[in-house]
Amino acid sequence: MYLSSIFADPERTARLIDIAQSSFLPLLKGAIFYTIPLTIITFIVGLILAILTALARISHVKIFQMIARIYVSAIRGTPLLVQLFIIFYGLPTIGIIIDSYLAAVIGFSLSVGAYTSEIIRAAILSTPKGQWEAGYSIGMSYSQVLRRIILPQAARVSIPPLSNSFISLVKDTSLASLVLVSEMFRKAQEIAASNYEFLLVYSEAALIYWVICFILSVIQQVLEKKLDRYV
C-alpha cells in the first residue's frame, strides 16, 4: 500500500528521492563522528573495567569479590536506558551535572564492563589449572603467570563473544539520542521531524547501521580464522 502510493505519484517519488539523498550525508556524518567514536571509546573503557572486574571476581579477597558482584548484578539487572537517564537527568538533581556525551560514555562503559567481565572471567577460568601450576613451578609470581600465560590464552578464547558485544554496542549507541547526543539516530530523528517521512529516514539509518555491523562481522570472521591457526 505504501509503495504503491509512492509509485503512483511521481511528485512524491521525486520528493522521497530528494529527502533520501539530502539526509544521507548528515546520517553518515553522525555515524562517523559520533556513533563509531562513541562505540570505540566506550568499548575500550568498558573492556579495561571488565578485566579489573573479572580479576576481582576470581581473587581471594572477599571485599573485591563482593564489590564486583554487586556492580555486575546492578548493571545487568537494570535497563541500560534507565542507567543513562539516571546519569544524565538524575544526577543533576543532586548537583552533579554531566555533559551528554560524557554521560553516554559513562553509561555505556559501565554496561560493557559488567557484561564483558563475565566473558573474560569465563575465559580465564577455562584455562587449565596446569597452566597456573606450570608457571608457579618455574618461579613466576601470580601476576606474572596471569600476565604472561593466562591472559594471552583467555584473550584468544574471548575474541568471538567480545566481537559480538562490540557489534551489539554499535546498535546500542542509538540510545544515546535520548540523552541528546548527536549520533546517527539523533540525526535521523531531527531529519524525520522536519519532513515527516519517518519510515524513509529511519529505514535509511537502519541500512547504515546494517552496513557497519556487516563490515564488523566480516572483520570478526577474518580475525577468528587468523586466531584458529594457533589452536
Side-chain angles (χ1 to χ4, degrees), residues 6-28:
I6 293 175
F7 293 119
D9 187 351
E11 291 185 3
R12 178 166 170 74
T13 302
R15 177 174 179 272
L16 291 178
I17 293 174
D18 182 64
I19 291 174
Q21 292 176 341
S22 62
S23 62
F24 178 75
L25 189 56
L27 291 177
L28 187 61

